[in-house]
Structures are given as C-alpha cells and as structure tokens.
Amino acid sequence: MYTKTQNGLADNYGRVATDLRVSLTDRCNLRCTYCMPEEGLDWLAKPELLTDDEIVRLVSIAVTQLGVDEIRFTGGEPLLRRGLVGIVDRTTNLTPRPQVSLTTNGIGLARQAEALAAAGLDRVNVSLDTVRQDTFQQLTRRDRLKDVLAGLAAAHAAGLAPVKVNAVLMRGVNDDQAPELLQFCLDHDYELRFIEQMPLDAQHGWDRSTMITADEILEKLGERFGLQPTDAATRGSAPAESFTVQGGPQTVGIIASVTRPFCGDCDRVRLTADGQVRDCLFARTESDLRTALRAGASDEDLADRWRTAMRGKLPGHGIADPTFLQPVRPMSAIGG
C-alpha cells in the first residue's frame, strides 16, 4: 500500500514534498538588479542541460512513484525553452494528472499562452515589480513592460487562472508603488503576491537591513486599502499569507520568507535544469540525478536516489543565523 511517508519524498522532520519546481533553463532575457549583473551570467552549456525526454522522465518518476501532485516549471525564464509546450503536454498527460503551472517574467507569453493552455497548463505566475515604464527599465535593465502586460492579458484570456503576479519591493526604487500595483491587479482580475527580497542574487549583495519587510508592505497597503487576514487554517503549506482587500472577494498575498519563515510546513523540492535535486531553495548542497540517469539507472533506482536526497533536508533555511551563507547558485540557476 502506498504511503507518502514511506514511499514519498519524506525528510527526517516529518515533512513530505509533493510540490516539484522544475527549472527548464538558467537563461533569462531580463537583468533584474536583485538577481544578476547587467552583463548576465555564464550560462550552462547545452550538454549539461537535461533534454526534454530526461525532464519528462524525472517528472514522471516524481508523479507516479514519489507522490508529487504539483509541478511548477521555472527558469531562468522557462519561455526560452523551445520544447516548453511539449513538456507541458506530456506532463499533463501523466496518470495521476498533476497540477501544472509556470513561473515566468511574461516576455513572450502573449505568443504562447493559447498553446500552453491547449497543452493543459493550469495557471501562470508572472513576475512584475512595477507598472511604471521608467521603474521597470531601472529594475530589469530592459524596456519590455509592454510585453509583460501583453503576456498577462493573454494568459487571462486563455483561461490560465488565477493569473498570479509576483512582486518584489526595493527600497528607494519601487517601495512607494505597492498600492498602485495592487490597484492594477484588482482592476485586471490578477492575484498579487508580494515577496520579501531573498538572499539569492548572483552578486551576493543582499542586505537584510535594506530589505522591505512584510510588515512594511502591509503598512504601505493599509494606507489605501482595508485588509483583513483570511482564515490561517486554510493556508496549509502555501507560502503566502493571504488578506482580503476591501472586504473581498479579491485578495493579496505576502510571502515573508525572511521575517516569517514557513519552513516547518514546506512541501517543496527542486530540480535544476542540469538535473540536480535541491531539497531547499537555500540549500548549499545538491544531489545529482543526471549522471545516474545517463548511466542507465532504472526508474526505481532514480526514485530511491531522490528519496535519499530528501532525507537530509535541514529544519529551516537559517537566514537569521549569523553563520548563514547564500547558496552558490543564484536564483536564475536554481529555479523559483
């Protein structure tokens, strides 16, 4: 008889990973200041990347043997992956059928939203930190706001709902724009979630003292909107604290990974574009599945290796610990 604790991706603290984040590429077509330098990074060479077939095989093992029921495709920027639609189609045809979503910066989404919906994609998360063109260009070093807005509209029209918007506030850059961004999302029926800036930049320039905290975000929003916490009992392992806006039904979320960590309820595991298992977003170690896969390992062996990789997951990310060190890989190479 299958049990998640015995056969799934359980760690030594009683948590079971059922939500798999799969990075399809480390490349990105933006250069967000809190993520990477203007010149970009040294991208993975093509032979290092998992092929489409290898990705689908590992995802299939996760779903059919390890109890994973939710797949999130990420990057870098996953829309840059040529085989994306096919990967989504093959994933949504697995039995049991997982929930499948995509995290993207939205550039190119206008062209692919309908095809992704037809392939069975359930919803999208789009990163958007501002609706002002000058601020967008300052943050991303690219003049592509119109493309992102077009991608959001196309996703909504294609039924990839709820369309979620992920925003990071930077002190002195866009921290005065939180109410404006929320009003934009309310007007367009998007679900906004603010995320505390995390220590995942390639430059290792993150400074907690300059980070906009969840309390500050709520204070800024409260100057314009009435917010009420939703029932915390329904949150489960969801990373966002949810608040109704002006009595509802629309909501806004706050992901306070730094100041209000939710590690004790974490149900996530990550697979990088080069086939490494990461048991935590902030892990400094990885477990290699690609080498075994290419050496002819069976599905059962790969599943056992994956289970072993998860058992050593730490109880928390430890950002508050004075000895905390950022992961060697930046966010674009890990996958969100």
Side-chain angles (χ1 to χ4, degrees):
M1 179 178 177
Y2 178 90
T3 65
K4 287 186 177 181
T5 301
Q6 292 179 351
N7 299 321
L9 295 172
D11 64 33
N12 290 326
Y13 296 91
R15 297 166 299 190
V16 181
T18 57
D19 182 339
L20 172 62
R21 309 294 173 93
V22 182
S23 175
L24 299 180
T25 178
D26 61 330
R27 295 175 181 268
C28 190
N29 42 17
L30 295 179
R31 297 291 182 270
C32 296
T33 57
Y34 54 79
C35 186
M36 67 177 72
E38 187 170 4
E39 64 273 15
L41 300 168
D42 292 329
W43 311 122
L44 291 167
K46 188 172 182 180
E48 297 179 65
L49 296 172
L50 295 175
T51 67
D52 293 3
D53 287 344
E54 288 171 337
I55 289 170
V56 173
R57 183 182 174 194
L58 290 175
V59 168
S60 176
I61 291 170
V63 170
T64 62
Q65 297 195 37
L66 298 172
V68 167
D69 56 22
E70 184 172 349
I71 306 292
R72 173 87 62 85
F73 291 115
T74 70
E77 176 43 55
L79 291 175
L80 295 177
R81 179 90 185 204
R82 290 187 177 182
L84 172 62
V85 173
I87 291 170
V88 170
D89 180 69
R90 293 166 68 183
T91 300
T92 58
N93 277 288
L94 293 173
T95 302
R97 200 270 203 203
Q99 287 291 305
V100 182
S101 59
L102 179 77
T103 293
T104 171
N105 63 28
I107 296 175
L109 186 57
R111 296 191 303 272
Q112 298 195 54
E114 288 189 6
L116 287 167
L121 187 70
D122 294 300
R123 62 175 184 81
V124 294
N125 286 44
V126 179
S127 299
L128 179 65
D129 305 318
T130 178
V131 290
R132 299 182 191 178
Q133 185 173 355
D134 58 342
T135 308
F136 184 92
Q137 191 160 356
Q138 179 184 359
L139 276 169
T140 67
R141 304 186 180 104
R142 297 291 187 272
D143 187 13
R144 304 297 298 272
L145 177 60
K146 289 183 179 179
D147 297 308
V148 178
L149 298 182
L152 280 164
H156 191 273
L160 297 173
V163 174
K164 295 187 177 182
V165 172
N166 294 340
V168 175
L169 296 182
M170 303 290 291
R171 197 174 301 280
V173 180
N174 65 336
D175 57 320
D176 61 332
Q177 299 176 32
E180 178 181 338
L181 192 54
L182 177 53
Q183 188 61 60
F184 167 82
C185 290
L186 295 174
D187 291 343
H188 291 82
D189 195 28
Y190 306 147
E191 187 176 315
L192 178 61
R193 304 194 305 176
F194 289 99
I195 304 174
E196 288 182 337
Q197 184 196 5
M198 294 178 284
L200 292 167
D201 59 307
Q203 309 93 304
H204 285 211
W206 180 85
D207 184 345
R208 181 168 181 152
S209 67
T210 64
M211 180 193 73
I212 304 296
T213 67
D215 287 341
E216 289 179 275
I217 295 169
L218 288 170
E219 182 179 354
K220 291 174 185 295
L221 293 176
E223 293 172 359
R224 182 167 168 183
F225 300 97
L227 303 178
Q228 290 293 328
T230 59
D231 185 0
T234 64
R235 179 180 175 183
S237 60
E241 298 176 62
S242 184
F243 301 83
T244 57
V245 182
Q246 305 293 80
Q250 292 173 295
T251 62
V252 62
I254 310 287
I255 300 179
S257 302
V258 178
T259 63
R260 302 175 190 173
F262 39 87
C263 302
D265 295 312
C266 181
D267 66 351
R268 285 167 288 288
V269 59
R270 289 170 170 81
L271 180 67
T272 65
D274 55 347
Q276 310 300 305
V277 171
R278 296 182 63 88
D279 59 24
C280 173
L281 183 60
F282 299 96
R284 291 184 57 82
T285 59
E286 299 175 335
S287 300
D288 182 11
L289 291 185
R290 184 190 64 192
T291 299
L293 184 155
R294 291 181 177 176
S298 67
D299 287 1
E300 290 73 18
D301 181 46
L302 290 169
D304 284 340
R305 289 170 181 266
W306 208 328
R307 292 187 189 99
T308 299
M310 288 301 295
R311 291 192 191 109
K313 183 172 181 173
L314 297 175
H317 54 50
I319 293 176
D321 192 308
T323 64
F324 173 80
L325 295 173
Q326 289 188 215
V328 175
R329 294 208 204 206
M331 184 65 148
S332 62
I334 294 173

